[in-house]
Amino acid sequence: MAKNKKEIIAQIQQHKKKNIQVRLKERTEYFTNLLYYTLFDTDTEVEERLDELEELFAELVDMACWKHEKPCSSIWQSYMEMLPGILEKLHLDAEAFVNNDPAANSIEEVYLAYPGFYAIAIYRLSHELYRFGLPLVPRLMTEYAHRLSGTEISPGAQIGKSFFIDHATGTIIGETTIIKDNVKIYQGVTLGALSVKREFRNTKRHPTVEDNVIIYANATILGGNTVIGAGSIVGGNVWITSSVPENSVISSTRETKIKTVNS
């Protein structure tokens, strides 16, 4: 016998989860866009937009902070004070793109056209909110950037100065990754975990990449104890699950055979 509409509605209501407001995702994306415009667009008036961002942030807090004993609303002032420093770091990142990519014709091109820079920008803006312990919003920000850029950077990762991701598509940087200064990464690189078991949630699961390392396309580096030593070069398609010393060159071995033609 077919169910009537009231029965269907009752069953849907029964199975709906509490505390899931899809509007939080939409408003976080709007917040992210407005923040990007405020910091980078020369035609956007900063003071007026900061006031709007503060109102938006209060709205996000109301939706995201279900545990009211956590003073999420007090974060905004501290976060706003950090914005000039975040912007300074992003300028260094943009300069790294210009200095390392011969296809980059100007700093303006990097800000407007490079998905890797956009992913780094949203990561840096979300990372400080993550450090404050704000629930969900930092992750929604970086997932929005992931959707637009093809680059997934967890807001929990720790990334140093002058970071460069060329082409960007398919790059994954896990939550407990540590990347130090002047690191260059190409498309398809994974900095991941050896295991995704739930009990490892609060441990360092992702690798450490020290200063001045270059990691070429589609390399996979896994494990919380894995350290890529400073000055190393990691070749394309390499699989690494243990540490390598400073100034190493790691490449996948390739055997070339010449075909013989039977007469």
Side-chain angles (χ1 to χ4, degrees), residues 191-208:
L191 302 177
L194 276 168
S195 174
V196 294
K197 291 182 180 178
R198 187 68 179 173
E199 57 263 35
F200 297 144
R201 181 183 180 188
N202 295 317
T203 63
K204 188 177 185 309
R205 309 181 302 280
H206 306 95
T208 295

Side-chain angles (χ1 to χ4, degrees), residues 47-260:
E47 183 176 0
E48 181 180 339
R49 290 297 171 256
L50 280 177
D51 291 340
E52 185 178 352
L53 283 164
E54 184 174 6
E55 292 178 6
L56 265 171
F57 188 78
E59 185 181 342
L60 298 179
V61 163
D62 286 341
M63 288 187 281
C65 291
W66 305 314
K67 297 180 180 179
H68 295 293
E69 68 274 12
K70 290 187 176 181
C72 294
S73 58
S74 65
I75 293 173
W76 176 252
Q77 179 62 34
S78 297
Y79 181 66
M80 188 169 57
E81 291 171 3
M82 291 179 169
L83 291 177
I86 296 172
L87 192 55
E88 185 177 0
K89 285 183 179 179
L90 288 170
H91 290 329
L92 292 176
D93 296 326
E95 287 174 4
F97 277 73
V98 171
N99 293 335
N100 289 288
D101 184 3
N105 296 307
S106 67
I107 197 86
E108 292 80 10
E109 185 176 358
V110 172
Y111 286 120
L112 295 173
Y114 275 66
F117 176 77
Y118 182 78
I120 293 168
I122 303 308
Y123 152 75
R124 292 208 187 277
L125 291 167
S126 67
H127 176 67
E128 299 303 333
L129 294 175
Y130 175 94
R131 290 181 62 211
F132 282 125
L134 180 65
L136 260 178
V137 172
R139 178 65 185 274
L140 290 172
M141 291 173 70
T142 55
E143 282 304 312
Y144 179 52
H146 179 197
R147 188 168 81 239
L148 294 177
S149 68
T151 305
E152 181 179 341
I153 308 177
S154 170
Q158 300 176 47
I159 300 177
K161 296 177 182 178
S162 298
F163 185 43
F164 170 61
I165 308 177
D166 199 12
H167 304 296
T169 305
T171 299
I172 299 173
I173 299 173
E175 181 183 32
T176 61
T177 301
I178 297 173
I179 297 173
K180 298 189 179 179
D181 296 341
N182 304 308
V183 170
K184 303 177 186 65
I185 289 179
Y186 289 78
Q187 71 273 16
V189 167
T190 297
L191 302 177
L194 276 168
S195 174
V196 294
K197 291 182 180 178
R198 187 68 179 173
E199 57 263 35
F200 297 144
R201 181 183 180 188
N202 295 317
T203 63
K204 188 177 185 309
R205 309 181 302 280
H206 306 95
T208 295
V209 180
E210 295 189 335
D211 296 339
N212 303 307
V213 168
I214 302 173
I215 306 174
Y216 283 103
N218 299 313
T220 299
I221 304 172
L222 306 178
N225 295 322
T226 302
V227 177
I228 306 300
S232 294
I233 297 174
V234 178
N237 299 302
V238 168
W239 177 277
I240 297 175
T241 58
S242 58
S243 296
V244 298
E246 294 182 1
N247 300 312
S248 298
V249 177
I250 306 101
S251 62
S252 55
T253 58
R254 183 179 68 180
E255 183 180 3
T256 303
K257 293 183 178 180
I258 307 300
K259 292 189 297 183
T260 58

